[in-house]
Amino acid sequence: MKPCLILIPFVAMNLFGESPQSPAEKQIDLAQLEIQKAPTRPSGYNRLALAYARRARETSDTGFYTKGEAALQQSFKLEPDNLEGRKNQAWIALGKHEFKKALAIAKVLNSKAPDDSSIYGILADANVELGNYADAEKAVQTMLNLRPPTVPSLTRASYLRELFGDLEGAIELMTKAFDMAGYDEREDRAWMLTQVAQLERKRGRNAEAQRLATEALKLFPDYHYALGALARINIELRKFPEAVELEQKRHASAPHPENLYALAVAQHKAGLLKQAHTSFQEFEKKSLQEMESADNSNHELIFFYADFGNRPVEALKVAKLEASRRQDVHTLDAYAWALFANRQYDEATRTMEKALAVGVKDPDILEHARKIAQKSAAPSNP
Amino acid sequence: MLTRTGTKVASTDPAATIGVFGTTSRQRVLVRRAPLGSVPSGSFSQVQRMGNPLNNELLIGTGFKDTWSLSQPANDSQFASFALDPLLARVFNAVYGVSVPNPPRTDLLPLLQYMAPIAAPSTAPGPVADLLRLNTGVAPTSAANRKRLGLLAMDGAGYPNGRRVSDDVTDISARAVAGVLNPAFNVSPNKFIGDGVNTNDRPYQETFPYVAFANSGRDRRHVDPGEPGCTGTCPTN
């Protein structure tokens, strides 16, 4: 499962301190209890579906989405087309990266219940992932206007600020959201700490980023998002063996192709070329298998072909496929990079300009933009 | 004087009736901070409003309550269908078998337009808008003669002609929704609908803060029914 900035809404807070169960596991138990007590009401099944979606994010195991969908089937049998069930269907679609489907469901729900703040959250998430940033901004601002700021509205506003290049403002809102989150919501709090860590890294404050990512791991041990963030910070700090170790842990915890790619890159940077070669080979094989599905690792596959595999034609092929599905900054960046690898500098420049238009200041994207601009400006474009 | 003419006029004058509403606003959080966006950080945005009491709670449909709270009375025609076919009236009918007027409920329009019995008959009704209407030409009723049910009890200075702290707006609004503004429906049980709370344990005051002072948190103990000392209207003190 590819990292996604979708924040599944809080279901309830445990006020009785921490327990060995994760927040999502507790919710699964509570939902099953509710189903036992009221098996003819859809609410228990809806709650179970949402809890499974949260568990999917906690563990990176997409199998939980399938379980969530099964719970929703029961819910719809009891009450066809019920609002909460449809909302959870959209959440699961987002989790599975079926963004167009999620957007279509959310639009219908929004017309039925224009006051429902969480539906604006779905609209925002789907539009962000598809690159419809104006629509996403409108949805998030509506969330912020409808209710006093909440964790779901603040985290989304934070991500938009990040995309618009306001890293400091993004940290401000994500920190506010963190302070607002329930103490026992360990995974949510770890996720927010990880986000702030990534933001600090992006603005060059690696020591602070490292501290925050480490805190996130204390809060939610072996958390795959935090392991990835910390590994990336270690790469910035040129601590490559540490990065390899963290990526290995992350891949063991969440064995997805994109995590394998990150491991391969870390191994490559650490000079472990033989291991990196094996990891890249395995990554390519697995990534190709999911290339046509919604939840894929096509961005990484593009970068692999362009940067390590020396196969620019394949990079462009995958990039075109992905760009036909979504036009978010990361897809446009990958597309521009594939064009650059194929020496199509003018088209690469145009695509990169489109990516940068939103205001994004991600160092990786800016580095690509710099290289593309350099070649584009060269008299002969060699 | 708050009237359109700036002078005090007779209750029969169209200029006598005013419409007012209040709003609550809070500081906004913006996706774009200044100077990145066009809207400066820290501006206030409306989150609630009130004209007639309970308009949002009793009339506006679920799913539109926040939209209503964020909007202006000038744009209330979009919510007219809720007032003309209130869900609460259907609940009265379905749950309690109360016979209520059929929609469209034009009998409720005096609450949403400048119409008799609040405004003078010659007053232009204006658009549908949730404003608290007050005929400033109607003299206040003395405390001794004030009626809990305001205009419904023929106390012309009471709600829905303005709103006094002692007006039982819950009972008045519920009865209005049940149709009592239409004489054909001003019958039992419609005209007896209420929440059962008709008196206060302490009287209102004639000066600020108008409501009774709060009970002491230090020198008071709640006396439960059946306890020694609990007689009459207890638990009171």
Side-chain angles (χ1 to χ4, degrees):
Chain A
M1 186 176 72
K2 200 168 170 59
C4 194
L5 285 150
I6 292 149
L7 189 66
I8 303 297
F10 287 69
V11 181
M13 241 171 51
N14 186 330
L15 301 174
F16 306 105
E18 293 187 13
S19 83
Q21 279 187 311
S22 77
E25 284 175 317
K26 279 185 218 164
Q27 288 304 324
I28 290 168
D29 283 355
L30 287 171
Q32 281 166 340
L33 204 66
E34 189 179 335
I35 291 169
Q36 272 177 23
K37 282 185 181 171
T40 56
R41 292 177 60 182
S43 61
Y45 293 102
N46 289 339
R47 192 175 181 181
L48 185 61
L50 194 60
Y52 278 135
R54 290 191 77 189
R55 187 66 183 146
R57 198 185 74 169
E58 281 182 355
T59 60
S60 184
D61 180 352
T62 53
F64 284 108
Y65 290 129
T66 312
K67 288 185 173 184
E69 285 170 328
L72 285 180
Q73 274 184 3
Q74 293 300 318
S75 163
F76 292 133
K77 263 186 202 167
L78 294 168
E79 189 183 326
D81 208 30
N82 68 79
L83 184 77
E84 286 306 313
R86 287 281 173 236
K87 272 178 5 188
N88 293 345
Q89 193 182 33
W91 287 121
I92 289 176
L94 284 172
K96 292 172 73 179
H97 289 209
E98 294 169 358
F99 304 122
K100 286 180 182 169
K101 179 182 172 184
L103 184 61
I105 297 170
K107 279 182 175 175
V108 173
L109 297 180
N110 182 238
S111 68
K112 286 182 182 170
D115 272 7
D116 193 318
S117 178
S118 64
I119 296 170
Y120 288 101
I122 303 169
L123 286 171
D125 291 346
N127 278 313
V128 159
E129 298 295 338
L130 291 168
N132 307 329
Y133 296 118
D135 289 346
E137 184 181 355
K138 201 175 153 194
V140 175
Q141 193 59 61
T142 307
M143 281 182 97
L144 289 166
N145 294 348
L146 270 177
R147 298 263 185 282
T150 57
V151 172
S153 60
L154 287 172
T155 49
R156 287 175 174 89
S158 168
Y159 185 49
L160 282 178
R161 281 187 175 181
E162 178 187 344
L163 285 168
F164 298 158
D166 180 9
L167 298 182
E168 192 191 352
I171 290 170
E172 177 202 344
L173 293 189
M174 195 62 81
T175 306
K176 252 188 198 174
F178 177 82
D179 290 342
M180 209 178 264
Y183 178 75
D184 200 39
E185 296 291 347
R186 288 178 289 122
E187 192 263 343
D188 279 321
R189 291 168 70 217
W191 183 86
M192 287 181 259
L193 275 181
T194 306
Q195 289 306 121
V196 180
Q198 296 276 32
L199 288 162
E200 292 289 12
R201 173 183 66 77
K202 285 175 186 176
R203 64 176 188 162
R205 296 177 47 165
N206 287 320
E208 182 63 2
Q210 191 173 27
R211 186 184 73 79
L212 292 167
T214 306
E215 285 296 319
L217 282 169
K218 281 184 198 164
L219 203 56
F220 204 83
D222 291 335
Y223 189 38
H224 55 107
Y225 285 128
L227 287 169
L230 194 55
R232 183 60 211 269
I233 295 158
N234 274 293
I235 284 178
E236 294 296 321
L237 296 169
R238 307 191 66 77
K239 293 180 176 174
F240 300 123
E242 287 87 342
V244 170
E245 195 182 330
L246 287 161
E247 290 293 5
Q248 277 169 336
K249 264 179 115 172
R250 179 198 192 190
H251 185 243
S253 162
H256 300 294
E258 60 271 18
N259 295 345
L260 187 55
Y261 174 76
L263 171 61
V265 172
Q267 288 167 331
H268 183 84
K269 288 187 183 289
L272 306 168
L273 300 183
K274 208 171 170 181
Q275 291 172 36
H277 180 71
T278 309
S279 298
F280 276 132
Q281 272 191 324
E282 198 186 336
F283 158 72
E284 186 192 4
K285 192 177 148 196
K286 288 185 173 173
S287 185
L288 284 171
Q289 284 169 1
E290 62 178 24
M291 192 173 78
E292 298 289 341
S293 70
D295 190 1
N296 57 54
S297 47
N298 285 348
H299 291 170
E300 289 79 6
L301 192 58
I302 294 162
F303 292 129
F304 165 66
Y305 284 142
D307 294 341
F308 299 99
N310 197 23
R311 276 177 280 170
V313 176
E314 276 91 338
L316 192 54
K317 193 178 126 195
V318 182
K320 281 182 176 171
L321 171 72
E322 198 57 16
S324 70
R325 293 169 168 165
R326 50 200 290 209
Q327 293 275 300
D328 62 296
V329 289
H330 298 289
T331 302
L332 290 173
D333 166 51
Y335 188 20
W337 195 240
L339 288 162
F340 174 79
N342 284 275
R343 300 180 180 218
Q344 296 179 29
Y345 300 127
D346 290 345
E347 189 59 22
T349 302
R350 277 194 292 275
T351 306
M352 184 52 84
E353 279 171 358
K354 207 173 157 190
L356 295 178
V358 72
V360 68
K361 290 197 176 71
D362 184 301
D364 294 343
I365 298 176
L366 292 180
E367 179 61 10
H368 288 161
R370 188 186 65 78
K371 286 182 175 165
I372 291 169
Q374 226 171 26
K375 281 286 182 191
S376 192
S380 55
N381 281 346
Chain B
M1 197 62 191
L2 290 172
T3 57
R4 184 158 27 95
T5 58
T7 57
K8 189 173 179 183
V9 294
S11 62
T12 50
D13 190 316
T17 304
I18 60 171
V20 297
F21 73 106
T23 62
T24 307
S25 297
R26 65 173 162 78
Q27 210 156 14
R28 302 176 78 190
V29 174
L30 297 169
V31 172
R32 288 181 191 268
R33 294 191 305 167
L36 293 170
S38 56
V39 186
S41 257
S43 64
F44 282 79
S45 65
Q46 180 182 314
V47 293
Q48 184 56 283
R49 64 171 159 127
M50 182 175 279
N52 285 295
L54 302 169
N55 185 73
N56 197 7
E57 292 82 349
L58 296 188
L59 298 184
I60 302 301
T62 307
F64 291 85
K65 291 180 186 292
D66 285 333
T67 311
W68 183 89
S69 294
L70 302 181
S71 58
Q72 296 295 312
N75 302 319
D76 273 356
S77 57
Q78 62 183 310
F79 305 111
S81 59
F82 291 120
L84 294 173
D85 185 9
L87 181 64
L88 183 66
R90 289 180 177 272
V91 171
F92 283 155
N93 180 258
V95 179
Y96 301 108
V98 176
S99 173
V100 294
N102 288 326
R105 293 288 306 277
T106 51
D107 57 302
L108 293 173
L109 285 177
L111 301 175
L112 300 168
Q113 290 185 295
Y114 293 100
M115 292 175 74
I118 300 167
S122 55
T123 311
V128 166
D130 180 45
L131 297 171
L132 184 62
R133 320 275 162 163
L134 173 68
N135 188 324
T136 57
V138 175
T141 308
S142 65
N145 294 322
R146 241 171 257 157
K147 298 284 192 292
R148 175 180 72 90
L149 292 170
L151 202 55
L152 295 188
M154 307 308 286
D155 175 359
Y159 181 74
N161 181 25
R163 178 183 178 181
R164 302 167 302 197
V165 70
S166 60
D167 289 334
D168 191 340
V169 296
T170 304
D171 286 8
I172 298 169
S173 301
R175 290 177 196 194
V177 167
V180 301
L181 297 178
N182 177 343
F185 289 87
N186 191 15
V187 294
S188 178
N190 307 43
K191 65 178 185 179
F192 296 118
I193 288 173
D195 60 9
V197 182
N198 298 342
T199 57
N200 287 350
D201 54 349
R202 300 283 177 88
Y204 291 112
Q205 306 185 68
E206 288 301 298
T207 54
F208 185 81
Y210 301 102
V211 292
F213 289 111
N215 289 317
S216 166
R218 183 187 293 274
D219 302 324
R220 177 183 176 276
R221 196 185 74 77
H222 184 87
V223 180
D224 291 325
E227 266 196 276
C230 173
T231 56
T233 56
C234 73
T236 58
N237 199 343

